[in-house]
Amino acid sequence: APGFHMPADMTAPVYMIGPGTGIAPFRSFWQHRHFLRHSLLQSQSVSSVSSEDGRSKSVSSPSSSPNASWGHMKLFFGCRFDNIDNIYKAEIADYLLNGTLDKVFFAFSRDSNHPKQYVQDKLEAPSEAQQLLHDICEEGGHIFVCGDVSMADRVRRTVQGILETYAAMSTDEAGDFISQMKATGHYHEDIFGVTLKTKEVTDQKRAAAKRIWKMLQAPRRSRTSVAMVQRVVPARVSRTQPRLKPPTRNPGYGATRSMRPPKRISQTSKKVTPPSPRGSTGLGATEEEEDMEEI
């Protein structure tokens, strides 16, 4: 992670929580602290003064003790077996002896010679929980968590429980406090695995539960009115909307002719002239009749 490094303020307390392979980045943390302490001690202790016999000697600077300018550094490490998985045990003991590390807590989950514990169990011990609360609330301490995502979630819930128990915070206030620590760069996570974004999911579920609870606590009449408002009402047709015209009939033969009344046959219609005899036309027969009348 980009912000997963030692804080610039060396007087701030540092909590390193890394079970299993999560201890890897913390080795650079205590090695860096040891280098800075060693360099500072050398610069402070070289103060040459002259004695009465003309010889010079080096005396310690009266400024402070070696650990006065450094915030305490605590390591919480967990693994399955002490003699198999605790591979940096000797190195940790050396840095604990020279004062670079102030306290180290081991948690073994499968070792028969030790009680089954996890790093969050060591963290929530009463004495350490109260010290953690003081460091993060009063001293501007930093919490570093490295390892599996499920472990990181359990550690976050443990810290949240410490805030609720010893600082009298509500669940929402403790969660907001941890979120503020992350935003200001005092709570650091370098985790691997499937990231579930538990904080975001929890906030969404909590908000939904609050809405349902408020709805259930509302009076019956208001709930009924809300339900009536949410009911879908069909939209009314505007009176100014033009009416649809009926379809026009086809003026062709069919619908128009069938709608007209039948024509009446006139009684004064002319008689139909019978056809003329075969072989003659109507004009020829009329001329013969006229000739007979003249004779």
Side-chain angles (χ1 to χ4, degrees), residues 173-292:
E173 292 174 346
D176 295 339
F177 185 85
I178 296 176
S179 300
Q180 185 67 22
M181 288 185 65
K182 291 182 179 181
T184 56
H186 285 78
Y187 194 101
H188 314 265
E189 289 180 325
D190 188 6
I191 56 180
F192 49 84
V194 180
T195 304
L196 301 178
K197 295 184 179 180
T198 54
K199 180 63 170 60
E200 290 78 0
V201 175
T202 302
D203 292 342
Q204 292 177 1
K205 290 183 178 180
R206 189 178 296 134
K210 286 182 179 179
R211 289 195 298 269
I212 295 174
W213 178 254
K214 289 181 180 180
M215 185 182 67
L216 294 177
Q217 292 297 322
R220 185 184 183 92
R221 182 177 299 177
S222 62
R223 293 203 303 266
T224 306
S225 60
V226 171
M228 293 295 293
V229 171
Q230 293 179 350
R231 186 176 299 174
V232 179
V233 180
R236 296 181 178 179
V237 179
S238 177
R239 293 184 178 181
T240 59
Q241 184 179 1
R243 296 182 179 180
L244 298 178
K245 296 181 180 180
T248 57
R249 295 187 178 93
N250 188 4
Y253 185 86
T256 306
R257 294 290 298 271
S258 60
M259 295 299 293
R260 295 177 181 177
K263 291 183 178 181
R264 294 182 179 181
I265 301 174
S266 177
Q267 298 294 334
T268 59
S269 58
K270 296 181 179 181
K271 294 183 179 181
V272 180
T273 305
S276 59
R278 187 179 298 174
S280 61
T281 60
L283 181 59
T286 305
E287 292 178 352
E288 291 178 358
E289 291 177 357
E290 292 176 355
D291 294 337
M292 290 296 294

Side-chain angles (χ1 to χ4, degrees), residues 20 23-24 27 30 77 85-93 106:
I23 196 176
R27 293 187 64 207
W30 64 62
F77 174 69
D85 301 321
N86 197 2
I87 59 178
Y88 299 110
K89 185 176 182 179
E91 180 181 344
I92 292 172
F106 294 106

Side-chain angles (χ1 to χ4, degrees), residues 124 139 141 148 164 255 262:
E124 65 184 358
E139 302 295 333
D148 182 67
E164 295 175 11

